[in-house]
Amino acid sequence: MVNLVIETLDKGAGKVEMVEVKGLGHPDTLADALVEESSKALSRFYGKRFRKVAHHNIDKALIVGGRSEPKFKGGKILEPMRIIIAGRATSKVGNITVPVKDIIAEAVESYMKRFDGVKYKLEIDVKEGAANLKEVFRRNVAVANDTSLGTGFYPLTILEKLAKETAGHLVSKEFRNNFRAVGQDVKVMGVRDGYDITLTVAMAFIGKYVKDMDHYKELKHNVKAYLENRANVPVHINTLDSFTDESTVYLTVFGLSAEMGDDGQAGRGNRHNGMITPYRPMSIESYAGKNVSHPGKLYNAMAGRIAKDIVSKTKVESAEVYLVTEIGKPLDEPYLVSVRVVGKYDSVVVQKIVDENFARMAELQNDLIFS
């Protein structure tokens, strides 16, 4: 039975709430995505060849912004951005060599295809992991390869849903078919003051689809009207614009701010739930690129699932879940599970939900690899 502590929370949200969502092409989101895709690719290779995921953590990445000259009706790249990926990975199992760098390079190339025309240089510096951490993966029982914690909550607030859905829609095929001048580098900041919600959106416009300044203003106005009609709240777009010339508005060559000097770093983007939520429980642990036996990854995903199950299967209104473990300990036997709920609860039912989720831990790990 999992070591569980349950507490009740006061009902009601605070007067103020803030939520940030960095979109698909934001350099921090991009850094996270590239290391995560690299980890998944390595995990699939290890699993297929050795029937077990070998030790790796490809969770360090830096995107160094390039230089560009965006113009109305066009523009050009002067210097491509650099993608630097570092970490640790098992490169040999028995007599079999693992082509770690080739696997990572292929994963990066495959992911970057979604950004049409974007130029980049890739640097990979991945070395062998520490011997004691590699030993962890040889044990028959899945054990934690770090002392770490994870958090999750459910359900989302109105603001969280709105900010996350808006950021997702801005990079959807539907939106891009209607507004092809908008690139995939977007960010949504949602603020609630009492009952009043406002969204502030940063979006990169693609120069070749914008004729001149008047056209830029028209496009910006149309997108604002579209989003306000869809979200039914005030929306502010690219609030730095001063409309003097191309250099004073958010114009890019291919739709990414990383083309012209905006850098990115893994771990600075959205948390595992796709948002940055300072008014909620939130671990600063970077989940992207970590192997599925790292509690900094697994426990964040697990906490979210447990919180959702508790709300779905009991009468509580909301739930927060905190998980912590120690390095070397079985992953399905966390040091402590803390559950905090709003509403009446049955401790036996909550205990059963927590235990059942840890009993299905291997399913979650598999989902994280193949999602």
Side-chain angles (χ1 to χ4, degrees):
M1 182 180 292
V2 169
N3 183 18
L4 172 65
V5 175
I6 309 174
E7 300 175 87
T8 56
L9 293 171
D10 293 332
K11 182 179 178 181
K15 176 176 170 52
V16 173
E17 182 185 5
M18 305 168 196
V19 178
E20 182 178 4
V21 182
K22 295 179 178 179
L24 186 70
H26 188 285
D28 291 334
T29 309
L30 183 57
D32 279 339
L34 294 178
V35 294
E36 181 66 2
E37 291 302 309
S38 297
S39 173
K40 288 179 180 179
L42 278 171
S43 296
R44 290 192 288 265
F45 181 93
Y46 290 137
K48 184 177 180 180
R49 294 298 299 271
F50 312 118
R51 297 189 177 182
K52 195 170 187 178
V53 176
H55 173 63
H56 72 278
N57 277 318
I58 313 297
D59 57 347
K60 306 297 187 297
L62 179 66
I63 293 179
V64 182
R67 293 191 304 118
S68 66
E69 193 176 80
K71 294 285 187 182
F72 292 129
K73 299 181 181 178
K76 60 183 178 181
I77 300 295
L78 303 177
E79 180 183 339
M81 63 176 165
R82 291 165 56 207
I83 299 171
I84 304 170
I85 293 179
R88 301 286 168 170
T90 301
S91 60
K92 194 169 185 179
V93 178
N95 295 322
I96 301 176
T97 299
V98 180
V100 171
K101 290 187 177 181
D102 290 343
I103 292 170
I104 293 173
E106 185 177 341
V108 170
E109 182 180 354
S110 177
Y111 190 85
M112 291 299 294
K113 286 179 180 177
R114 68 192 62 201
F115 304 105
D116 296 338
V118 169
K119 312 295 182 185
Y120 65 92
K121 290 183 178 179
L122 176 62
E123 301 174 31
I124 301 172
D125 192 356
V126 176
K127 296 180 172 61
E128 200 74 22
N132 62 332
L133 291 178
K134 291 170 66 176
E135 176 60 30
V136 163
F137 285 77
R138 296 191 181 100
R139 301 181 187 178
N140 293 326
V141 178
V143 299
N145 68 339
D146 197 3
T147 298
S148 189
L149 57 84
T151 65
F153 56 84
Y154 190 84
L156 304 186
T157 66
I158 292 173
L159 180 64
E160 289 163 351
K161 289 178 184 176
L162 184 61
K164 187 174 182 179
E165 194 278 334
T166 299
H169 184 68
L170 287 172
V171 296
S172 68
K173 185 175 293 186
E174 177 188 344
F175 180 84
R176 291 173 59 76
N177 285 341
N178 289 325
F179 299 100
R180 66 175 183 170
V182 178
Q184 297 185 72
D185 192 342
V186 298
K187 184 173 80 169
V188 177
M189 179 69 75
V191 176
R192 178 180 60 79
D193 186 355
Y195 293 103
D196 297 327
I197 290 176
T198 301
L199 298 181
T200 300
V201 181
M203 56 176 60
F205 282 81
I206 302 173
K208 67 179 178 180
Y209 298 126
V210 185
K211 299 174 185 177
D212 50 32
M213 189 64 75
D214 287 337
H215 189 209
Y216 179 92
K217 291 179 181 178
E218 178 188 351
L219 288 168
K220 184 175 172 180
H221 172 79
N222 291 343
V223 173
K224 174 181 170 69
Y226 172 89
L227 291 178
E228 288 185 334
N229 180 66
R230 195 171 191 277
N232 199 31
V233 299
V235 177
H236 304 149
I237 298 176
N238 295 355
T239 55
L240 184 63
D241 290 347
S242 63
F243 306 115
T244 305
D245 56 38
E246 291 102 326
S247 67
T248 64
V249 295
Y250 196 174
L251 201 67
T252 64
V253 180
F254 295 113
L256 299 184
S257 63
E259 299 168 2
M260 52 181 179
D262 197 1
D263 306 316
Q265 183 176 331
R268 290 175 51 88
N270 305 320
R271 303 297 90 190
H272 184 266
N273 58 14
M275 302 174 290
I276 299 170
T277 53
Y279 280 69
R280 301 278 236 157
M282 185 176 74
S283 167
I284 63 170
E285 182 74 81
S286 175
Y287 76 92
K290 287 181 167 60
N291 64 77
V292 291
S293 288
H294 196 300
K297 181 188 204 113
L298 179 64
Y299 277 15
N300 277 293
M302 178 73 80
R305 284 200 177 189
I306 292 173
K308 185 174 182 179
D309 272 0
I310 290 172
V311 174
S312 301
K313 297 175 181 179
T314 72
K315 295 181 179 180
V316 305
E317 297 177 37
S318 65
E320 299 175 356
V321 177
Y322 307 74
L323 311 176
V324 66
T325 192
E326 299 171 323
I327 190 169
K329 298 299 176 65
L331 279 164
D332 59 358
E333 298 176 15
Y335 180 78
L336 181 66
V337 176
S338 170
V339 172
R340 307 172 75 191
V341 300
V342 174
K344 294 182 178 180
Y345 65 90
D346 183 328
S347 60
V348 174
V349 174
V350 175
Q351 180 81 61
K352 182 179 179 183
I353 290 171
V354 172
D355 289 339
E356 287 177 346
N357 271 275
F358 275 98
R360 299 194 304 269
M361 186 185 71
E363 296 176 19
L364 174 55
Q365 290 177 304
N366 195 62
D367 289 345
L368 292 173
I369 293 173
F370 290 97
S371 60

